[in-house]
Amino acid sequence: MTTEIPVPHPAPQHSVLDDVLGILCGTIVVSIGLFLLRAGGVVTGGTAGLTLLLDYTTPIPFGVWFVAINLPFFVLAIRSKGWGFVLRSALAIGLVSAFASFHALPGVGTIGDIELNPFYAAVTGSVVASVGVIILFRHGASMGGFNIVGLVLQDKLGWRAGYTMMVGDACVVLASLAISTWPVLLASALGVVTMNVIIAFNHRPGRYIAVTATRRTTPTTLQPFK
């Protein structure tokens, strides 16, 4: 037998400080996960992985491709999620890029240059990065690209964001076969599945009540996780 869990009305809201600390923590965690993936030479999914593939095969700089690829997704986000979400996501992308570069610097308090087994890096890096992405989602931000599509479809159709993102990431990983070996491809696929399954099971409609101050909510009830 199951019982309904009442949701407070109005739903509890994150303060500005909550969101600032949440985005800061989330970006640090994501950057560490990406660092571990890179240390294993694992191909990442999403727009970052797609941009890297285009950077390898064309003379156009990485930064130009990254902005160009993410632009349509941010247009979608403006229409569906609002400017607040877009600005927080842009901030999150910038912070992750800065933190990831910082981790690789030699010196006191930084990780430095390391090499990891691709399969170990794929699993540990994906677990860490997925936790950071969930934190960002719950504070009204994302890492852009497929994250945005996943969140929009989850809001509109109820599809779990992790599963939607997995489809896009899988396409990027398969495309990377042109520049990767089979072991790296298999490790990358394992990482994609690990990350998106964790997101799918931990970020879905009804699993988190608190919202950012800019979002409107309606009364609802939650069913306990089964």
Side-chain angles (χ1 to χ4, degrees), residues 12-102:
Q13 295 182 340
H14 293 137
S15 67
V16 173
L17 180 60
D18 289 337
D19 286 335
V20 169
L21 293 177
I23 291 173
L24 183 61
C25 292
T27 52
I28 291 175
V29 175
V30 170
S31 68
I32 294 174
L34 292 179
F35 178 84
L36 294 173
L37 291 171
R38 290 177 181 175
V42 178
V43 178
T44 61
T47 53
L50 180 57
T51 302
L52 188 58
L53 292 177
L54 293 172
D55 181 56
Y56 285 149
T57 56
T58 69
I60 300 176
F62 179 92
V64 175
W65 274 123
F66 191 67
V67 172
I69 292 173
N70 270 295
L71 188 58
F73 294 102
F74 278 119
V75 171
L76 173 65
I78 292 172
R79 294 174 59 87
S80 302
K81 306 288 287 184
W83 275 104
F85 174 83
V86 171
L87 294 176
R88 285 189 292 269
S89 297
L91 175 62
I93 291 172
L95 288 174
V96 167
S97 299
F99 288 141
S101 299
F102 176 76

Side-chain angles (χ1 to χ4, degrees), residues 43-50 53 146 167-177:
V43 178
T44 61
T47 53
L50 180 57
L53 292 177
F146 300 153
V167 173
D169 289 347
C171 292
V172 174
V173 170
L174 288 175
S176 70
L177 182 59

